[in-house]
Amino acid sequence: MKKRILIFAFTAVSMSALGQTLEECWRAAEQNYPLIRQNGLIEKTTALTVANIRKGWLPQVSAQAQATYQSDVTAWPDEMKTMMTGMGIDVKGLRRDQYRVGIDVQQTVFDGFAIKSQQRIAREQGNVQSAQVEVTLYQVRRRVNEMYFSLLMLDEQIQLNRDLQELLAGNERQLKAMVKGGTAAESDWQNVRAERLNVVQQANSLASQKRMLMAMLYTFCGIDPHSAPEGATLVKPTAEPPSGGEGGSRPEMRLFDAQQRLADAQERGLNAALMPRLGVFAQGYYGYPGLNMFEDMMRHRWSLNGVVGARLTWNIGALYTRKNDKAKLQLQRDLTESNREVFLFNNRLEQIQHQEEIARYRKLMADDEEIIALRAAVRKAAESKLAHGIIDVNSLVREINQENAARVQQSMHEIEMLKSIYDYKYTTNHSF
């Protein structure tokens, strides 16, 4: 029940976000994207790995049982055996079949910081994986941008289509009246009517495209398109001027930093591999022969035996590959830095492209209003000329289409400029 309530609450938030801003759509899409679940999985996996490594401080207990048959065993010297036999002592010697059942316990006292180093490496590996997920999730924004601004463009075109239909419908009514009055041919009325019906068809096509894109955006934001509210609208973002940046706050930069920290942790692990290890141990077993070899040579019986002690080990085998291992880590660092430089270089090129696009659309928009005003004036003059029989209806339809094309062009320039601004902010990961 609680799960259903949470799902409903999330869906409600997503639906609200879809009807508000682009940023809310980003957050809803990122929360709904399946990859986000890996964040929790990576965190849990890292915690379990670190916990397992920490258990290296616990006593290591092993049990063993063995039975052997030897080709030869320790025996009394012949002189001593003869002497003891002469004294009436039965010298049996050791049997060739021997048995042992025991337990070994080892406790690490000093591990040369190996466990600490392994824990650090595990955490840094988890950080790298989380950063990679963050990079992929950030790329979801670009896909949301494409759908969002395409929908805004369709909204503008649908509204302009409605205005064009109303304009053509007005001229159609006027021509119908003129046909009845005998001042216009019926073909003129039919021409305008056919043009209006063609615009209606365009409206149906635009509406179909909007439904498709809206369903895609709904799905991206975690909303069932069939249960989504009707008439949801997208808010047009503000045309805030972008500020400069180098893409330093992009998640890719955090990924490069995490990869470098991982290399540093692995290098410290190489240093830990050269440190000595100190531990204590205890061994106990029940079997034959025991530690008292002479007693067992006299009496064939099983006995309890135990050994305790301390052990210092220093494995210098890591020196053999240390130079190559450090060289590999340095190559890994160099590769990461190379990837960072390539990313920043491409990022700067994208910024230049977006800045030029923004400047170009601003210049185009500066003339759009005047062009529309001129086209509207020419269209109104054409309507007057048609009413007085100076021009034919084809000339009027041409002027109406040119005015509509100018309005469509203005809307495209505005939406494309907004998209370029937000693409620039996506490139630099600047807050909005």
Side-chain angles (χ1 to χ4, degrees), residues 142 146 242 349-365 412-424 427:
R142 184 186 292 275
E146 295 294 333
L349 291 181
E350 290 183 12
Q351 290 183 47
I352 292 172
Q353 177 184 352
H354 296 322
Q355 287 172 336
E356 291 299 322
E357 288 176 349
I358 293 169
R360 177 167 65 90
Y361 286 122
R362 288 192 185 279
K363 290 179 181 179
L364 293 174
M365 290 175 63
M412 290 180 63
H413 290 164
E414 181 184 8
I415 300 301
E416 289 292 344
M417 186 194 70
L418 288 174
K419 184 176 183 299
S420 296
I421 290 175
Y422 277 73
D423 284 344
Y424 178 87
T427 302

Side-chain angles (χ1 to χ4, degrees), residues 380-391:
K380 292 177 182 178
E383 290 176 341
S384 177
K385 291 178 181 179
L386 179 64
H388 292 84
I390 300 176
I391 61 173

Side-chain angles (χ1 to χ4, degrees), residues 173-187:
R173 289 191 296 269
Q174 181 181 359
L175 281 169
K176 189 173 184 179
M178 293 173 64
V179 169
K180 290 183 179 180
T183 58
E186 186 172 359
S187 60

Side-chain angles (χ1 to χ4, degrees), residues 110 276-279 310-314:
F110 176 71
R277 269 69 167 166
L278 176 63
R311 182 183 292 115
L312 178 67
T313 59
W314 199 338

Side-chain angles (χ1 to χ4, degrees), residues 195-260:
E195 188 66 25
R196 183 179 64 81
L197 293 176
N198 183 48
V199 173
V200 171
Q201 287 183 334
Q202 294 175 8
N204 294 332
S205 177
L206 291 172
S208 176
Q209 294 179 48
K210 180 180 178 180
R211 285 192 298 271
M212 177 192 68
L213 274 177
M214 191 66 80
M216 292 174 62
L217 188 57
Y218 275 140
T219 303
F220 234 76
C221 293
I223 305 172
D224 183 2
H226 301 291
S227 62
E230 293 291 337
T233 58
L234 301 179
V235 178
K236 184 185 298 184
T238 57
E240 297 178 3
S243 55
E246 292 294 330
S249 61
R250 285 281 295 266
E252 288 85 350
M253 302 298 290
R254 292 189 285 277
L255 173 59
F256 299 141
D257 293 339
Q259 290 172 339
Q260 292 289 33

Side-chain angles (χ1 to χ4, degrees), residues 7 40 60 68 127 146 154 165-166 233 245 256 272 316 364 415:
I7 293 174
Q60 305 300 307
T68 61
N127 291 336
E146 295 294 333
L154 285 172
Q165 287 185 52
E166 293 178 3
T233 58
F256 299 141
I316 62 172
L364 293 174
I415 300 301

